[in-house]
Amino acid sequence: MSSEDLTAPLGMGKRRLVRLPFGLIGAGILSVVVTTTLIWVAVVDDPVGGEPVAVLPLDAVVEGVTSQDIEVVEIRPGIGDDLGPNLRPETSNDLLGPRYEMVMRPDGLGPEAPVTGLSVNPDTRVSERSELGFLPKISEAGVRPLDAYSRPILREFTSIPKIAVIVTGLGLSETGTRNAIGSLPSDVTFALAPYGEELDLYMKQARMEGHELLLQLPLEPFDFPDNDPGPHTLLVSLKPDKMVDRLIYLLTRATNYVGVINEMGARFTSTKPSVQFLMEKLKGRGLMFVDNGTSSRSIAAEVAEETRLPFSGVDVVLDEVPREDDIDAKLLQLESIARARGVAVAAGSALPVTVRQLEKWTRDLEQRGLQLVPVSATIDR
């Protein structure tokens, strides 16, 4: 008996603590887990644990390409009856976008060859002379200006989000126009201002660099005439013959464009009879219509669908606030829309700050998994 036992109160002997070997227990559990995992990998054919795997036979061999160079960007399930409605047209007859095989390239190459430049002279198949200049038309063979003047897409992968950027106001400022043409990549679409100077010269310079073109169409805003887009603005109050006269004047201001984009026009694009009349005329000329995205009351998309007019709409206006930080924020928004929907369209003016931020933004666009396309490539989205 120890001295501590003698000094302890009666009935209160010293308690003995039982210490468990927790370290040994933990090591044992860990060894069991590791051993089980090794046995599973050695015995089971599929060590990835049931993750989806697709095995594709490759019939062709490409020199210089190894398995490490191949990456799955995205796998999308087919759209069937059990998965909801098909969001894309079923056949080529339903597609309204450009037919690249109709493009007559200055280099004489086919639509699959790299694009170094586009034609600068009016295509006689899709143009007719008038007292005011060349007017777009559909040829007897069914070729549209949208077909003849489009910029072919060389790498159209369905799984890669696509972005079209339209820079408007070309011709209003010589410095701004030359800066835009000289700074931005050829997949950026330019919109010519009908009241600009030297439009034929800038059209040729832009097309030689490979840019697709639109023509800006001044339409009536709600606060007209306090806010007046110009002397040939299309107004909802115009009679049909007057509307046609003004439209013809505007369409002859330039050539080699695939369609039009509205300048202002909140009132016009919310008035169905006027929008419908305009779109029927544009369809008869083989052109597309782009809604500039500045009016939430626009019914242009709805009427374009009814009339089967090739259409695209701007999702993001880049320089409502022409500051670097605000433009960068809009570009991030544009990327998010493209990743969510597959396609997104932006528009901005040829201001130096807008062109500068766009030039920076496009430098590593492909590395970020996005493809820059001309606006005509967004029609069948």
Side-chain angles (χ1 to χ4, degrees), residues 310-325:
F311 174 85
S312 187
V314 171
D315 301 296
V316 178
V317 179
L318 297 174
D319 50 5
E320 289 177 312
V321 180
R323 291 197 299 260
E324 291 184 1
D325 291 345

Side-chain angles (χ1 to χ4, degrees), residues 143-186:
V143 181
R144 305 165 298 175
L146 173 60
D147 303 317
Y149 299 134
S150 63
R151 174 184 170 86
I153 293 180
L154 300 180
R155 294 174 295 171
E156 187 175 8
F157 301 116
T158 57
S159 61
I160 297 180
K162 299 172 182 58
I163 294 178
V165 175
I166 305 165
V167 174
T168 63
L170 264 70
L172 296 178
S173 163
E174 178 181 358
T175 303
T177 300
R178 293 185 182 278
N179 179 46
I181 295 174
S183 302
L184 296 175
S186 55

